[in-house]
């Protein structure tokens, strides 16, 4: 059972790879490994979220990346917004890679640590929560990310998630409307929806 990317200690042998990818005006170098999500390239859903994220009207404060994997969303947003980003993932291999990738790309204003969703996240003053949720972990995990984000945000803070239409975007949007009282699809590309709610 310990061989999914959303478990805390993958038991699969290492298979490290190093490659580059442009995100928000910077060429990032990433090191990835077996049993982390999308190890060969930045997955399309994350790319759509990164491109769609807009912090111009956000309150002051930091960003929380839930399910950060090896770091493409959190690191690119830290670079482009200048905000501090906290990055968490249940997969300890992914967390170590995210730390390595932060160093590799010279991004200092990040804090990266293992956490099963919000379990180890103590702060409640984030300006934004972003997530490319682990769909294969099940609907309860995805809805948990949505429900519990509300208490982690300051007033006018936002939750931004990416989810494929066929993998539950309509039900995720409904859940976001239920929790926040609002939810807007701000981008759609190749079946991927970027949904934003504001507290």
């Amino acid at each position: 059972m310990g061989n999914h990317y959303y478990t805390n200690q993958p038991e699969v042998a290492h298979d490290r790879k190093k490659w580059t990818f442009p995100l928000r005006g910077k060429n990032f170098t990433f090191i990835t490994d077996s049993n982390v999500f999308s190890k060969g390239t930045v997955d399309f859903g994350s790319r759509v979220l990164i491109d769609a994220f807009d912090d111009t009207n956000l309150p002051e404060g930091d960003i929380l990346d839930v399910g950060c994997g090896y770091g493409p969303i959190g690191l690119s947003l830290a670079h482009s917004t200048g905000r501090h980003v906290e990055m968490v993932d249940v997969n300890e291999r992914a967390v170590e890679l995210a730390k390595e990738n932060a160093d590799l790309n010279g991004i200092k204003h990040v804090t990266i640590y293992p956490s099963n969703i919000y379990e180890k996240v103590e702060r409640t003053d984030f300006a934004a929560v972003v997530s490319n949720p682990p769909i294969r972990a099940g609907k309860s995990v995805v809805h948990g990310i949505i429900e519990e984000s509300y208490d982690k945000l300051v007033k006018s803070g936002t939750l931004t998630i990416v989810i494929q239409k066929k993998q539950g975007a309509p039900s995720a949007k409904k859940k976001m409307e239920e929790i926040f009282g609002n939810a807007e699809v701000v981008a759609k590309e190749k079946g991927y929806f970027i949904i934003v709610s504001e507290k």
Side-chain angles (χ1 to χ4, degrees):
M1 182 55 206
N3 293 338
H4 295 293
Y5 64 81
Y6 50 83
T7 53
N8 63 342
Q9 291 183 316
E11 294 153 9
V12 174
H14 289 281
D15 178 24
R16 285 165 63 87
K17 290 181 166 53
K18 187 176 184 180
W19 42 274
T20 59
F21 200 91
L23 295 168
R24 289 180 81 124
K26 175 179 169 66
N27 269 329
F28 281 85
T29 300
F30 291 113
I31 293 172
T32 58
D33 202 345
S34 53
N35 269 76
V36 295
F37 176 63
S38 191
K39 69 173 183 176
T41 187
V42 178
D43 68 285
F44 191 77
S46 290
R47 289 181 227 171
V48 180
L49 188 155
I50 290 163
D51 289 343
F53 184 81
D54 179 10
D55 75 327
T56 48
N57 295 315
L58 281 183
E60 283 184 22
D62 299 348
I63 297 169
L64 174 65
D65 178 6
V66 181
C68 66
Y70 56 81
I73 294 174
L75 297 179
S76 63
L77 295 186
H79 163 71
S80 64
T81 67
R83 293 173 185 254
H84 188 92
V85 181
E86 280 199 17
M87 299 165 57
V88 297
D89 201 295
V90 69
N91 180 335
E92 290 173 16
R93 184 177 290 182
V95 167
E96 291 310 309
L97 288 166
K99 289 177 182 176
E100 199 171 345
N101 289 327
D103 289 342
L104 197 58
N105 292 283
I107 294 171
K108 309 283 186 217
H109 49 294
V110 287
T111 307
I112 306 166
Y113 55 97
S115 177
N116 185 3
I117 314 183
Y118 303 100
E119 196 179 311
K120 300 282 196 312
V121 180
E122 293 175 355
R123 294 175 52 194
T124 55
D125 61 348
F126 290 99
V129 174
V130 295
S131 185
N132 181 352
I135 301 302
R136 283 194 282 169
K139 189 173 179 178
S140 63
V141 170
V142 176
H143 284 195
I145 290 172
I146 293 168
E147 287 167 3
E148 294 174 51
S149 69
Y150 189 87
D151 290 334
K152 297 296 178 186
L153 290 164
V154 295
K155 183 166 173 42
S156 302
T158 59
L159 168 67
T160 303
I161 68 163
V162 56
I163 192 162
Q164 274 186 288
K165 184 177 183 182
K166 67 182 183 189
Q167 291 183 323
S171 76
K173 183 173 184 283
K174 189 176 171 192
K175 175 59 73 175
M176 289 167 75
E177 284 167 348
E178 187 185 302
I179 300 298
F180 286 86
N182 64 84
E184 183 186 354
V185 178
V186 297
K188 285 183 195 175
E189 209 168 332
K190 293 185 183 173
Y192 285 90
F193 285 33
I194 307 299
I195 313 170
V196 178
S197 288
E198 180 180 325
K199 182 168 178 178

